[in-house]
Amino acid sequence: MKLDGKVAIVTGGAMGNGLGIVKMFLKYGADVVIIDYSDQINVTIQELKSPKVTGYKADIRDVDRLQKIVKDVIAKKGKIDILVNNAGVARLDKFVDMSDEVRDLHFDINIRGTWNITKLVVPFMVENQYGKIVNLSSVTGPMVADSGEVAYATTKAALIGFTKGLAMELVDYHINVNAIMPGYIMTPMVEGIAKDSNQVDPSSVIKGIASGIPMKRLGTIEELGELAAFLASDEASYITGQGIVIDGGSTLPETMSVGA
Ligand SMILES: NC(=O)c1ccc[n+]([C@@H]2O[C@H](COP(=O)([O-])OP(=O)(O)OC[C@H]3O[C@@H](n4cnc5c(N)ncnc54)[C@H](O)[C@@H]3O)[C@@H](O)[C@H]2O)c1
């Protein structure tokens, strides 16, 4: 299988897209280490019922803790082949209303957290002359945006710059760095956005989102996980520095008034 013998770290793997990625990595034979700050991590690991998955309850903003975790993973597994920077947050609010705390929450988790764990893992990849880094960006920021998404969009666009810059620096060490740019994937994050939208029925918000997507549905975490598994595999060996869109065609329409 395409990830046999590989050791992967997936941040935010307790639920949502991260869980989809963990499931697909296990399906393709990888050893998976989840880092997540939610208590759900223990439930998820139990439910996955696989000897190949372990985890650490930790916040990716806590550099000291990350340092200990990376050291521990290396001591136990001997290497880190794959790093998926999936942990991220989205709290929607208008630019003029958004507190500095909420702005910084996005910057600290989505950008600094990703930066910090990557900086700790890269030296081991360089030493091995091998690595696959996959960053969860979004179509939000690099391609599109809705009202209330300024902070989130800023961080997700930043991750494209991060991906490209790092890809150039690491190319000589046989390390591929790519980004996934999802449209709407059905996860607790999207459910939360629907609940916070002040609509009486959050499911009507999800239906409204689906109706605007050419495929008329949101993506699944398994579909997202399949793309991550491909980018983390040697089958994607000639791809680096790219942002791959997975959005059911949501960014495709050229003329909004013309249906499919
Ligand atoms: N769901 C979508 O439609 C969508 C679209 C585009 C991009 N994305 C990106 O995909 C990634 C995952 O999104 P999701 O929808 O699955 O979100 P989610 O909120 O459903 O799950 C995120 C997971 O990350 C963990 N996490 C968050 N901050 C953390 C931190 N500081 N330290 C450790 N763990 C942390 C959470 O506990 C949770 O398990 C994010 O980076 C998000 O921006 C999602």
Side-chain angles (χ1 to χ4, degrees):
M1 289 185 292
K2 61 187 167 195
L3 300 181
D4 267 342
K6 304 293 186 211
V7 176
I9 290 181
V10 180
T11 67
M15 64 186 93
N17 288 337
L19 176 57
I21 294 165
V22 171
K23 281 185 180 172
M24 293 307 130
F25 278 18
L26 291 173
K27 170 179 156 188
Y28 292 116
D31 265 50
V32 184
V33 178
I34 301 174
I35 300 175
D36 201 298
Y37 67 6
S38 163
D39 289 333
Q40 179 64 26
I41 186 173
N42 299 321
V43 180
T44 295
I45 289 173
Q46 263 186 355
E47 285 177 356
L48 286 167
K49 292 191 179 68
S50 168
K52 286 180 151 258
V53 64
T54 51
Y56 299 84
K57 184 165 182 274
D59 190 322
I60 61 162
R61 286 170 292 186
D62 184 346
V63 188
D64 292 342
R65 177 97 172 96
L66 290 182
Q67 217 158 15
K68 289 189 185 106
I69 291 170
V70 170
K71 212 173 145 194
D72 199 50
V73 173
I74 293 293
K76 288 183 174 140
K77 315 256 181 206
K79 59 175 185 168
I80 298 165
D81 300 298
I82 301 163
L83 170 65
V84 183
N85 286 310
N86 165 79
V89 289
R91 304 274 187 279
L92 307 195
D93 204 354
K94 290 275 172 60
F95 178 70
V96 290
D97 298 329
M98 185 173 279
S99 67
D100 290 353
E101 287 71 28
V102 176
R103 177 201 62 198
D104 289 344
L105 179 79
H106 289 87
F107 292 3
D108 289 346
I109 296 178
N110 298 2
I111 301 177
R112 286 201 180 91
T114 296
W115 179 292
N116 290 337
I117 179 120
T118 307
K119 197 166 177 195
L120 290 168
V121 169
V122 159
F124 296 101
M125 290 182 167
V126 168
E127 197 182 308
N128 271 356
Q129 296 277 304
Y130 184 91
K132 309 281 178 191
I133 299 173
V134 181
N135 300 315
L136 266 288
S137 172
S138 177
V139 293
T140 307
M143 297 179 74
V144 295
D146 284 328
S147 176
E149 293 181 336
V150 177
Y152 180 71
T154 300
T155 61
K156 292 290 146 177
L159 290 182
I160 295 296
F162 179 71
T163 298
K164 290 185 183 293
L166 200 58
M168 278 304 287
E169 284 197 16
L170 299 180
V171 71
D172 288 343
Y173 304 101
H174 315 288
I175 300 169
N176 303 59
V177 188
N178 288 294
I180 295 180
M181 299 164 68
Y184 280 105
I185 310 292
M186 195 58 214
T187 67
M189 179 188 277
V190 172
E191 282 169 340
I193 290 169
K195 273 195 206 113
D196 293 345
S197 65
N198 296 328
Q199 300 284 327
V200 187
D201 176 15
S203 73
S204 71
V205 178
I206 303 287
K207 279 188 199 136
I209 292 170
S211 71
I213 300 170
M215 287 192 188
K216 299 286 179 267
R217 65 177 180 86
L218 280 71
T220 68
I221 59 168
E222 287 80 13
E223 288 171 314
L224 188 292
E226 288 284 359
L227 175 57
F230 170 65
L231 290 174
S233 75
D234 290 330
E235 287 162 11
S237 51
Y238 202 52
I239 304 174
T240 200
Q242 301 307 303
I244 312 293
V245 173
I246 172 167
D247 72 347
S250 71
T251 53
L252 191 58
E254 184 173 0
T255 308
M256 293 312 258
S257 57
V258 179

